[in-house]
Amino acid sequence: RKEVEQDPGPFNVPEGATVAFNCTYSNSASQSFFWYRQDCRKEPKLLMSVYSSGNEDGRFTAQLNRASQYISLLIRDSKLSDSATYLCVVYSGGYNKLIFGAGTRLAVHP
Amino acid sequence: NAGVTQTPKFQVLKTGQSMTLQCAQDMNHNSMYWYRQDPGMGLRLIYYSASEGTTDKGEVPNGYNVSRLNKREFSLRLESAAPSQTSVYFCASSEPGNTEAFFGQGTRLTVV
C-alpha cells in the first residue's frame, strides 16, 4: 500500500464549479500535511499547509481528519488558472522525510 | 533569489554511461531530497538527507547514489544508466517539520 494515495482524476469541471479532492495516508504518526500545486512540466510549489483545525485561503479550504487519516482540498468558484495537478504531501517526523501522493489532475474549462 | 538550483536541465545518456546531477540551495536548509517523477506516478523519493553528513534511502534508491557534500549541496549519481531511469528528477530542500519545501526546476533525463 502506498503511503499517500490520491485519486488521479482527471477532474474536468466548468468555470465557477466547486471541486473537492481527497487524500489518504497510511502512517498514523505523520505530523504535517500540505497541498502542493504542479503546473505542466514545472516544479511543485506549496499551495497551502493543512492544520488540524482546518484552514482557508481565499477560494481554497483544506481539512485534516486524523482519525480517518485523510486530508481534503476544496476549491470554490474554479478558475481556468486553477488547471493543474494537486499533490498531497505528508511529512513524517520520525523519518524526517516528505512523501508525495501521485497527484490529482484538475482541468477547468470555459 | 536563487533558491534551489539544479544542473543540468536536460541530459541524454546512453545505456551504461554515468553522470552526476547537481543540486545546491542557498536557504540554509538542513533537509534535502531527490525525487523522480514519471507519468502517472507522482514524485517518488530516491534519497534524502536530514542534515549535513547523513543520507537515507527513500522509496526507489536502486541504481542511484548520493553525496551530501556540505549543507548547500546534495548530488545524485547514476553509476550505470538504464532506460528505466528515464525520468524528470527534482531536488528539494526544507527545514524539518511544518515548513515549505522548495524545488529546483528539474532535470529531464533520457537514457537511450
Side-chain angles (χ1 to χ4, degrees):
Chain A
R1 183 188 173 188
K2 290 185 179 179
E3 290 189 60
V4 179
E5 296 204 64
Q6 296 181 248
D7 180 343
F11 285 65
N12 294 300
V13 302
E15 277 185 291
T18 295
V19 61
F21 308 137
N22 288 328
C23 163
T24 59
Y25 60 95
S26 61
N27 185 352
S28 60
S30 298
Q31 295 176 300
S32 307
F33 310 89
F34 309 89
W35 284 102
Y36 276 69
R37 171 190 168 129
Q38 186 176 26
D39 294 300
C40 186
R41 300 180 71 79
K42 299 279 191 178
E43 71 274 22
K45 292 185 179 178
L46 180 68
L47 177 67
M48 59 196 304
S49 301
V50 186
Y51 303 121
S52 297
S53 55
N55 49 300
E56 188 173 307
D57 183 2
R59 299 181 292 108
F60 299 84
T61 300
Q63 293 197 312
L64 167 65
N65 185 321
R66 284 191 183 271
S68 301
Q69 294 181 207
Y70 78 81
I71 69 174
S72 64
L73 177 68
L74 182 77
I75 305 175
R76 291 181 298 277
D77 189 22
S78 298
K79 312 290 185 192
L80 294 176
S81 58
D82 293 333
S83 297
T85 296
Y86 291 84
L87 302 164
C88 173
V89 184
V90 173
Y91 173 73
S92 174
Y95 300 99
N96 195 22
K97 60 182 180 180
L98 286 169
I99 303 297
F100 282 74
T104 298
R105 194 154 59 89
L106 172 66
V108 182
H109 57 82
Chain B
N1 293 345
V4 179
T5 303
Q6 281 183 244
T7 55
K9 288 188 170 52
F10 300 93
Q11 184 71 50
V12 178
L13 288 178
K14 293 182 179 178
T15 297
Q17 285 185 317
S18 63
M19 79 162 294
T20 300
L21 280 63
Q22 307 286 353
C23 176
Q25 51 94 6
D26 62 3
M27 295 170 284
N28 205 35
H29 287 161
N30 281 299
S31 298
M32 296 187 74
Y33 308 84
W34 275 106
Y35 295 91
R36 62 176 287 175
Q37 187 171 36
D38 303 294
M41 299 292 289
L43 279 85
R44 292 185 291 168
L45 184 62
I46 304 172
Y47 272 93
Y48 65 104
S49 170
S51 61
E52 184 180 353
T54 68
T55 60
D56 288 283
K57 294 179 180 179
E59 184 184 356
V60 288
N62 292 344
Y64 306 95
N65 286 300
V66 290
S67 295
R68 184 73 184 267
L69 303 169
N70 46 55
K71 194 170 185 179
R72 288 189 65 247
E73 299 172 288
F74 189 38
S75 62
L76 178 72
R77 183 161 178 83
L78 287 71
E79 290 290 351
S80 179
S84 61
Q85 294 177 305
T86 293
S87 189
V88 180
Y89 291 84
F90 287 103
C91 176
S93 74
S94 73
E95 278 302 307
N98 189 26
T99 61
E100 180 177 0
F102 293 83
F103 283 80
Q105 292 184 304
T107 296
R108 285 164 176 75
L109 176 67
T110 302
V111 183
V112 297

